[in-house]
Amino acid sequence: MADSLLDGLQQHLAAGGSVQDALAGLAQSELGQTDPALGLLSQFLARREQTLERDLEVQENEEDRLEARARLEEARRLEEARHLEEAQRQERRRARLERLRLRLEELEDDLAACQARLDELALALGACPGCWGEDAGCRLCRGRGRPGFLRPDPEAFRRWIMPALPEREGSPPTGGAAAPERTAL
């Protein structure tokens, strides 16, 4: 009986059928009808194979679900990494912008100090502090404010111009240090 069962299974499998179909076929064949134990065994094995196939399908579905969850988690981690990188980039930009803002303030302060010195020098020379006589569209002098245009401010003249003038004989030095001698080339 076992040989006939094996022979039947081999023939069915050789014909390209599945084990489930072979067992179902044996349960319905003459062999399954003449031997009730063989018929029950064939039915049990056929159900068992169906159960195993369902379990395998459930397991494959679970693996697919876990794989999809892993891909989703990886995408979430990548997105978080991108957000972190963008936040770091923004922080570097803010720090660079703050450095630029501080540098701009320094330059504005330097410019204001230079402008104040130029204004004092213009007063000392009697020039237009706006354009020094170089802008015909100047609202203060209309381009005529070269040095000597106005009366020089005496205090500014003493402070800025007198130290640069050659000393006259018998007058005390004005700059504090002795002026270097000029030699002809």
Side-chain angles (χ1 to χ4, degrees), residues 34-45:
T34 57
D35 187 352
L38 182 60
L40 286 174
L41 178 63
S42 297
Q43 289 174 356
F44 171 76
L45 290 175

Side-chain angles (χ1 to χ4, degrees), residues 13-106:
L13 291 173
S18 68
V19 173
Q20 182 181 356
D21 292 341
L23 291 173
L26 285 175
Q28 294 172 359
S29 71
E30 287 178 27
L31 187 58
Q33 291 174 2
T34 57
D35 187 352
L38 182 60
L40 286 174
L41 178 63
S42 297
Q43 289 174 356
F44 171 76
L45 290 175
R47 282 192 213 114
R48 179 69 182 139
E49 186 173 351
Q50 286 175 345
T51 302
L52 289 174
E53 284 180 2
R54 274 194 308 263
D55 290 348
L56 181 61
E57 190 175 316
V58 167
Q59 184 179 1
E60 287 172 350
N61 288 340
E62 180 66 15
E63 287 173 358
D64 289 346
R65 191 181 65 75
L66 290 174
E67 188 177 311
R69 180 185 282 170
R71 283 193 306 266
L72 185 62
E73 182 64 23
E74 179 65 20
R76 187 188 60 75
R77 279 192 302 247
L78 286 173
E79 188 64 25
E80 284 177 0
R82 278 193 288 270
H83 283 297
L84 178 61
E85 187 177 305
E86 181 62 27
Q88 290 170 341
R89 193 173 17 254
Q90 289 293 339
E91 185 57 35
R92 286 190 302 267
R93 286 179 186 150
R94 276 191 285 277
R96 192 170 38 229
L97 184 60
E98 181 61 18
R99 287 190 306 269
L100 287 172
R101 188 189 62 76
L102 290 173
R103 180 66 179 137
L104 178 61
E105 285 178 5
E106 289 173 5

Side-chain angles (χ1 to χ4, degrees), residues 115-135:
Q115 187 62 50
R117 279 190 213 111
L118 279 174
D119 289 349
E120 280 188 55
L121 189 57
L123 286 174
L125 294 173
C128 172
C131 74
W132 287 65
E134 294 183 0
D135 181 7

Side-chain angles (χ1 to χ4, degrees), residues 122-127 148-154:
L123 286 174
L125 294 173
F149 174 70
L150 301 170
R151 171 171 248 165
D153 178 70

